[in-house]
């Protein structure tokens, strides 16, 4: 057990960030606003020893080749839901990928760990040229090394991520990485502004690197409007803060899955009801669901996040806003504000 623990720490843990202290970094580890932390070991032990995880059915549908416009025009905003937290965002002539994952497992090893039940809705080779990639945090279902290496070799995009992740990616041969702190912004040569914003979550890839790199979401601004990608997050005050700083939100991409059991998952994963609440706080013209139906990460039934969200939408006064539940591989043009 001791040898296994030491090996796990050494083999899989990512290098930690080193830098000045801040209101969410104590010099060694990052922490959430209000200093809330993830569930402790004994809560985790209670979950894994008492969980009643339903079986998921693997989807065997073949993925058809999909043709994309190489670029969209000024003011236009198109999105394609690929799988899990991966969207292709096409706005103002730029192509952006969020937390790209095409691997079969979300795991440090290829023979174990959560395996996908839903094939990606788009083949990686069918993507248009990718200009930028945003990576919300370093969990295996959001920072997928195999996918990032393929995209980097093909398109050499700029990669935006939280503080501490550049050293890990550089060690894997992935360059052009901009690491960011909460509320930091970077302007691209093509007229986009990438903002890194707070989330309520945590980070680690092994047993010994808990919260040593920063997690967060992104707000991408251009003439087409503001697009918010939440990454992974529990419900918290950061949604109001983001709404205050970005009052004209054209699109919000919000997670809805891996929310069961609520007592264990809610500190760091939105429930479908939480996602709808965040949609209204953000005053988004359009939101779209993500983080569901691809990998069994919690105790949700396979279609539970989608069905729960749809019921909440049906009973809500949506006004002029809308909350989409897109099919895997589906593309839509996002309405203007």
């Amino acid at each position: 057990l001791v040898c296994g623990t030491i090996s796990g720490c050494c083999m899989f843990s990512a290098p930690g960030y080193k830098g000045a202290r801040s209101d969410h970094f104590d010099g060694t580890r990052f922490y959430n606003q209000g200093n809330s932390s993830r569930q402790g070991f004994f809560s985790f032990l209670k979950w894994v020893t008492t969980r009643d995880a339903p079986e998921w059915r693997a989807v065997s549908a073949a993925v058809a080749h999909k043709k994309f416009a190489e670029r969209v025009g000024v003011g236009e905003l198109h999105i394609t839901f690929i799988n899990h937290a991966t969207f292709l965002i096409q706005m103002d002539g730029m192509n952006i990928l969020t937390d790209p994952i095409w691997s079969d497992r979300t795991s440090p090893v290829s023979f174990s760990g959560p395996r996908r039940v839903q094939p990606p809705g788009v083949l990686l080779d069918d993507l248009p040229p990718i200009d930028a990639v945003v990576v919300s945090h370093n969990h295996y279902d959001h920072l997928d090394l195999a996918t990032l290496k393929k995209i980097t070799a093909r398109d050499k995009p700029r990669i935006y991520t939280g503080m501490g992740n550049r050293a890990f990616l550089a060690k894997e041969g992935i360059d052009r990485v901009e690491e960011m702190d909460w509320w930091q912004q970077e302007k691209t040569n093509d007229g986009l502004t990438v903002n890194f914003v707070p989330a309520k979550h945590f980070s680690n890839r092994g047993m010994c690197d808990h919260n040593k790199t920063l997690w967060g979401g992104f707000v991408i601004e251009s003439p087409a409007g503001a697009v918010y990608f939440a990454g992974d997050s529990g419900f918290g005050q950061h949604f109001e803060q983001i709404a205050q700083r970005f009052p004209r939100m054209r699109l919000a991409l919000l997670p809805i899955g891996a929310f069961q059991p609520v007592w264990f998952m809610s500190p760091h994963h939105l429930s479908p009801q939480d996602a709808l609440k965040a949609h209204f706080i953000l005053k988004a013209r359009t939101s779209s669901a993500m983080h569901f139906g691809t990998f069994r990460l919690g105790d949700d039934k396979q279609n539970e996040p989608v069905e729960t969200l749809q019921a909440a939408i049906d009973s809500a006064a949506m006004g002029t806003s809308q909350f989409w539940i897109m099919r895997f591989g589906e593309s839509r043009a996002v309405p203007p504000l």
Side-chain angles (χ1 to χ4, degrees), residues 231-247:
D232 255 351
S233 184
F235 191 81
Q237 61 184 330
H238 57 286
F239 290 116
E240 292 184 356
Q241 297 167 349
I242 292 166
Q244 290 170 2
R245 292 190 183 223
F246 306 97

Side-chain angles (χ1 to χ4, degrees), residues 106-336:
T106 63
S107 170
V109 293
S110 61
F111 54 84
S112 183
R115 188 167 194 164
R116 71 165 60 247
V117 301
Q118 169 72 48
V122 175
L123 298 173
L124 193 151
D125 288 341
D126 287 346
L127 292 174
I130 301 302
D131 304 297
V133 175
V134 295
V135 177
S136 62
H137 63 296
N138 73 355
H139 287 159
Y140 289 92
D141 57 322
H142 293 262
L143 193 163
D144 178 35
L145 276 176
T147 297
L148 287 176
K149 286 179 179 179
K150 290 177 183 177
I151 295 168
T152 297
R154 196 189 80 155
D155 296 327
K156 297 180 173 52
R158 181 72 66 186
I159 298 173
Y160 299 89
T161 188
M163 297 171 76
N165 288 316
R166 180 166 53 200
F168 172 68
L169 293 172
K171 187 175 69 172
E172 298 293 334
I174 298 172
D175 56 7
R176 302 197 75 210
V177 177
E178 297 286 346
E179 59 181 17
M180 304 174 70
D181 198 359
W182 286 346
W183 304 121
Q184 183 178 340
Q185 64 174 217
E186 297 286 344
K187 295 184 181 294
T188 74
N189 294 332
D190 301 282
L192 265 65
T193 300
V194 179
N195 303 270
F196 195 53
V197 297
K200 187 179 176 187
H201 201 57
F202 63 101
S203 67
N204 70 297
R205 288 184 76 84
M207 299 173 64
C208 303
D209 58 346
H210 168 53
N211 286 2
K212 290 190 174 182
T213 61
L214 186 58
W215 55 93
F218 292 88
V219 176
I220 304 166
E221 299 175 282
S222 78
V227 175
Y228 170 51
F229 170 66
D232 255 351
S233 184
F235 191 81
Q237 61 184 330
H238 57 286
F239 290 116
E240 292 184 356
Q241 297 167 349
I242 292 166
Q244 290 170 2
R245 292 190 183 223
F246 306 97
R248 292 179 56 79
M249 194 72 71
R250 184 169 175 180
L251 174 69
L253 304 174
L254 299 170
I256 64 170
F259 73 99
Q260 294 282 20
V262 172
W263 70 265
F264 181 74
M265 293 293 188
S266 63
H268 303 295
H269 285 154
L270 294 178
S271 69
Q273 296 93 334
D274 288 337
L276 185 58
K277 191 188 306 183
H279 164 81
F280 287 122
I281 291 172
L282 293 163
K283 298 181 175 62
R285 172 66 177 86
T286 301
S287 289
S288 190
M290 64 177 185
H291 204 275
F292 65 88
T294 310
F295 302 99
R296 191 182 67 168
L297 302 173
D299 292 349
D300 321 356
K301 297 182 181 69
Q302 190 164 359
N303 297 319
E304 185 177 2
V306 167
E307 293 170 353
T308 304
L309 176 59
Q310 188 60 62
I313 293 170
D314 291 344
S315 63
M318 298 299 292
T320 59
S321 72
Q322 55 190 342
F323 203 128
W324 293 341
I325 304 172
M326 297 174 65
R327 300 185 306 277
F328 293 88
E330 182 181 1
S331 300
R332 295 188 186 185
V334 180

